[in-house]
Amino acid sequence: MTPPAAHPDPSNRQRQAADPSASVWVSASAGSGKTKVLTDRVLSLLLGGTAPQRILCLTFTKAAAAEMAIRINRQLSRWATVPDDTLRRELAELIGTDPEDDAVRNARRLFARVLDAPGGLKIQTIHGFCQSLLVRFPIEAGLAPHFEVLDERSAAELLEAARDRVLLHADTDPALRDALEAVTAHVDERRFAELMLSLGFERHRLDRFIEASGGIDGAALAIRERLGLDPAETAGTILEAAAAEGAFDRAALRAAADALLQGTERTDRPRGWAIAGWLAAGPALRAERFEEYAGAFLTAAGEVRKTLATKGVLAAHPEAEATLAAEAGRVLATLERRRALVVAEATAALIGLGGALLEAYAAAKRSMARLDYEDLILRAGHLLHRPGVAPWVLFKLDGGLDHILIDEAQDTSPEQWAVVAALAEEF
């Protein structure tokens, strides 16, 4: 028998991930040692001579930052006091080889080096780091030096107050009033409040979309274009086009209706009468009755019926099957186009409300010299990409950074990555 393959030693993989000479992305299950890898990587960097202030560790939560700092400080304080043989063994486990005498002596001094480093070892949440950056460079970031940060609860309350001001303003603003009516036609009061809060907390994406589209009107046109709709298209024009002469095969449908009228009384004949009556009407009436006509081909759920005619009808008139299937597809495409228009109009109205909400929310924050958590990220990113200012700011960050470690990187947003990219640009 072939002996079973030996399982790989997880310590070897962890040592590879903690090797400071390589840029790595660690993906592993919960509880498998990702925090240990981050901690070991920092210890390896310090052991290799990297200055503590040139290492930045960004975590997802304050609890994770505290846990990582505790682990590192606990290990460094151990190294300062344990016997030589114990220290050598622990260093060998970390670096994978027997340590030199210089490495042992250096390990004993690391705790003091970290304590004496300007600013200490930087282990922060991304929001905490951005806040500390803006506090140091408020003028360069275009902020009042006395700005304060809103916690999540205070930000939500301020956003709700801004929403209420927008709703009050809708009484005197026709565009806002129309947008409000369009949105509330589709959602109840609870869902409306949730939507407005969501817009507030995703404002960077909304702002970017509106700006890229050239304003609110441009954003509405961009939505229509994405959905394949013409700028001037309305629900009425869609149904009128579908009901116009030449939009359907009248002769084939008339023959299919006659075939259905010879079928069963329960299913075939009502559909036959519906088709025949629709064909006999004028274009305007056909457009008005289009949904009723669609019932001959679609279910209440808006799907094409599995059986458009009974077997008896199709046996006697086989050509009717293709005619009915083609018309069912055309009817379905028409109603889907109309639904796309409803989505476009409702979304454009929501963007209009959202734009007004964001303006009111931003004005409230400016008047109070407040920033919320999302502002910290956006303002820091702008500062670190500002021409003529960013290089000086990066230089003043204690002489720069050599290493950046990111915990829970899969949850890092594009705006947060922009901050990290700016910090790592000199690498």
Side-chain angles (χ1 to χ4, degrees), residues 199-222:
L199 284 175
F201 290 126
E202 292 288 341
R203 66 186 178 282
H204 58 278
R205 296 173 61 188
L206 182 59
D207 280 340
R208 192 165 60 236
F209 176 55
I210 292 174
E211 184 179 351
S213 303
I216 298 291
D217 293 339
L221 289 175

Side-chain angles (χ1 to χ4, degrees), residues 65-120:
E67 172 65 20
M68 193 170 175
I70 289 170
R71 289 194 188 194
I72 292 172
N73 288 326
R74 182 184 295 153
Q75 187 68 292
L76 292 179
S77 64
R78 265 184 53 80
W79 286 356
T81 57
V82 295
D84 276 357
D85 57 342
T86 302
L87 179 56
R88 286 181 179 277
R89 184 174 65 253
E90 292 184 5
L91 293 179
E93 291 176 0
L94 175 65
I95 62 178
T97 59
D98 291 333
E100 301 288 341
D101 291 343
D102 288 345
V104 174
R105 286 192 293 270
N106 185 33
R108 293 199 181 279
R109 301 188 187 112
L110 285 178
F111 189 49
R113 283 186 61 199
V114 169
L115 293 178
D116 293 338

Side-chain angles (χ1 to χ4, degrees), residues 242-302:
E245 288 295 337
F248 53 89
D249 190 336
R250 172 179 285 277
L253 279 173
R254 178 70 252 188
D258 290 342
L260 287 168
L261 291 172
Q262 299 171 36
T264 61
E265 188 171 348
R266 183 179 177 183
T267 57
D268 291 326
R269 291 181 188 178
R271 294 174 192 170
W273 285 119
I275 296 172
W278 189 78
L279 292 173
L285 193 56
R286 284 200 297 268
E288 185 180 327
R289 294 180 177 176
F290 196 85
E291 284 218 48
E292 180 183 344
Y293 170 64
F297 304 93
L298 308 180
T299 65

